[in-house]
Amino acid sequence: MSLKDPEIMMQLKMIELTDEEIRIAKYFQPIIREHSEEIVDSFYKSVLEVEKLKQLIQEHSTIERLKKTLELHLIEIFSGQFDAQFLEKRTQVAMIHFRIGLDPKWYLSAFQNLLNASLGVVLRRVEDREESMRISTVVTKLFNFEQQLVLD
Ligand code: HEM
């Protein structure tokens, strides 16, 4: 999988993620960084309420370790650099989750939690209504692309 891959290009085209929106993503990255701990805390709070997922985590890793990795991963989503390394990392994440037996339905529901918390940050941090709408749209597109890559 590479950025020159025509299929990846089509995927980006289909969700209408423009260059301008990629710039917006980069502009918003420091704000996501500021709130990454809070977003990830909310993520794991909901994940740990599902006994099956709690056990999966305890079997394979620790919350402390995963929180750190997810924070970095989240910040990277806003880098706007969809290079080979970015794509490769998504394949790895998919393989890791497949290996531990994480069902796509749980991955998707957990992802929605991450999206909710990120949109909450946009709402709180961006006062201008129009700007807030624009950034929210970018956030949903970035997260959608991430899911396309991981579920491929
Ligand atoms: C590993 C992201 C959902 C359990 C990872 C890694 C990332 C990640 C970046 C580290 C990969 C690496 O070490 O290179 C995500 C994202 C999710 C998600 C973005 C959805 C929004 C979940 C859920 C669980 C989970 C719901 C619940 C069981 C794990 C475990 C590992 C892991 C146990 C470590 C596996 C190992 O090191 O052997 N995840 N994850 N993940 N994830 Fe997730």
Side-chain angles (χ1 to χ4, degrees):
M1 190 161 53
S2 109
L3 244 208
K4 293 198 186 79
D5 186 332
E7 204 158 290
I8 295 276
M9 299 299 287
M10 281 311 289
Q11 287 169 241
L12 284 170
K13 189 164 180 257
M14 200 158 191
I15 61 169
E16 297 172 359
L17 184 65
T18 63
D19 290 347
E20 172 61 13
E21 287 179 324
I22 292 175
R23 273 193 290 277
I24 293 175
K26 284 183 195 164
Y27 155 82
F28 202 65
Q29 191 191 38
I31 298 174
I32 286 293
R33 187 179 280 117
E34 261 182 64
H35 292 270
S36 60
E37 199 178 334
E38 154 201 341
I39 296 172
V40 167
D41 279 350
S42 137
F43 175 88
Y44 279 106
K45 187 170 177 286
S46 80
V47 165
L48 292 176
E49 277 166 17
V50 183
E51 192 50 41
K52 208 171 156 180
L53 300 182
K54 190 176 174 180
Q55 280 175 15
L56 263 187
I57 290 175
Q58 285 167 349
E59 254 174 63
H60 297 277
S61 190
T62 65
I63 294 292
E64 287 67 33
R65 200 177 152 253
L66 288 181
K67 273 188 176 174
K68 225 43 261 151
T69 341
L70 186 57
E71 264 190 65
L72 293 175
H73 194 82
L74 173 71
I75 294 165
E76 200 179 84
I77 292 177
F78 288 80
S79 68
Q81 274 186 309
F82 305 138
D83 53 16
Q85 205 188 336
F86 184 95
L87 300 175
E88 176 57 30
K89 175 99 182 282
R90 272 66 206 164
T91 309
Q92 266 176 30
V93 169
M95 286 190 322
I96 287 174
H97 289 146
F98 180 76
R99 183 170 49 76
I100 67 168
L102 177 67
D103 291 338
K105 69 177 177 193
W106 291 119
Y107 171 78
L108 284 174
S109 47
F111 214 100
Q112 184 61 37
N113 184 280
L114 209 57
L115 178 63
N116 295 346
S118 304
L119 291 176
V121 168
V122 178
L123 261 184
R124 273 185 283 133
R125 291 294 302 264
V126 187
E127 276 176 24
D128 183 79
R129 201 179 130 81
E130 221 168 282
E131 201 185 340
S132 172
M133 286 288 290
R134 264 196 108 188
I135 298 178
S136 298
T137 305
V138 174
V139 174
T140 63
K141 288 183 186 181
L142 291 172
F143 279 31
N144 179 281
F145 183 50
E146 172 81 17
Q147 290 173 73
Q148 291 178 40
L149 295 174
V150 173
L151 292 179
D152 191 18

